[in-house]
Amino acid sequence: MVYRRTHQVVKRLAARRSAILSAARDAAADGGMAAVQIAPVAVRANVAAGTVYRYFPSKADLISELIADVSRDELAAIRRAADAAPGPSSALAAAVTTIAIHVLSHRKLAWGILAEPVDVDVTASRLACRRDISGELATRIDAAVRAGHLPAQDTGLAATALLGALHEALVGPLAPANLEDPVKLRDAVQTVTLLALRAVGVMDARARGLVVQATTPAKALVGA
């Protein structure tokens, strides 16, 4: 007789996997990707190290899935914010604002997702993460172009350039410090959003209005 997992068993297994990923996310937020080690993550998740290996056969698997998990949460937040905006230009502003606040909400985690050196190969997961976010930005730029709000342009290239600028400005080696202050954080988000809108062709006065109207989303990278 073939064994079939009951609904409760499936639910319990999914909850345990989620707890492990949440523990890995918290570890990365506290200490970067270097802190994502099997044994400490197991302690945080209140499971045995062997249990972690049952779900994630290697550290590379765990970190790769962590990157994918954070990316899915960020992408969902970007879409929610953009979809709630009243028009394509404001949707683009909302998307950029959401990316900026997610990056700034936990900079160690964001840097770990993007570029922190790790001793295992997670290149594919990192590329997929960037491709998904860039693709969403390209969709929003394209909608604004088709509505006549932006000049015709290579939307894929524009989206990639914007994403690179956001990451470099907010978590790269030259990123400003002391952004834990809510006022400084808000100012940084508004500055990069204004820069992004100007870059794709929004006239300055209109860009400033969109930035002021954009809602700053709640911080949601850890525990999202």
Side-chain angles (χ1 to χ4, degrees):
M1 181 177 179
V2 177
Y3 170 73
R4 293 182 180 177
R5 290 173 174 171
T6 66
H7 174 71
Q8 287 301 320
V9 169
V10 171
K11 190 175 179 180
R12 185 171 68 251
L13 293 173
R16 188 172 293 164
R17 185 178 188 277
S18 178
I20 293 169
L21 278 176
S22 180
R25 187 182 295 213
D26 290 343
D30 289 342
M33 283 301 176
V36 183
Q37 305 290 338
I38 299 296
V41 166
V43 171
R44 282 178 179 264
N46 197 30
V47 298
T51 301
V52 177
Y53 281 114
R54 194 175 307 145
Y55 290 86
F56 305 99
S58 69
K59 187 168 78 169
D61 291 318
L62 176 59
I63 294 178
S64 292
E65 185 54 32
L66 169 61
I67 292 170
D69 194 51
V70 172
S71 177
R72 283 190 292 268
D73 286 343
E74 184 176 1
L75 190 59
I78 293 167
R79 286 175 175 162
R80 283 195 302 270
D83 289 344
S89 293
S90 52
L92 175 59
V96 173
T97 297
T98 303
I99 292 169
I101 196 68
H102 270 253
V103 166
L104 288 174
S105 62
H106 291 282
R107 294 169 78 181
K108 282 186 180 179
L109 177 58
W111 178 245
I113 297 294
L114 290 169
E116 181 187 343
V118 292
D119 58 1
V120 292
D121 186 7
V122 293
T123 303
S125 188
R126 280 176 164 167
L127 285 176
C129 166
R130 294 185 188 190
R131 191 176 293 115
D132 287 345
I133 304 299
S134 179
E136 183 62 24
L137 271 181
T139 297
R140 303 301 172 174
I141 296 171
D142 184 63
V145 169
R146 287 187 285 105
H149 298 174
L150 296 178
Q153 56 194 284
D154 184 331
T155 55
L157 183 59
T160 300
L162 290 189
L163 189 60
L166 289 169
H167 288 160
E168 183 66 22
L170 299 176
V171 292
L174 299 179
N178 302 321
L179 290 181
E180 286 73 21
D181 182 324
V183 174
K184 291 183 178 179
L185 186 146
R186 183 200 63 208
D187 289 347
V189 170
Q190 291 185 340
T191 295
V192 295
T193 303
L194 181 60
L195 174 68
L197 294 174
R198 286 169 171 164
V200 294
V202 181
M203 296 298 291
D204 189 67
R206 173 65 171 152
R208 290 178 182 275
L210 290 170
V211 168
V212 171
Q213 294 167 20
T215 301
T216 302
K219 298 180 181 183
L221 269 181
V222 172

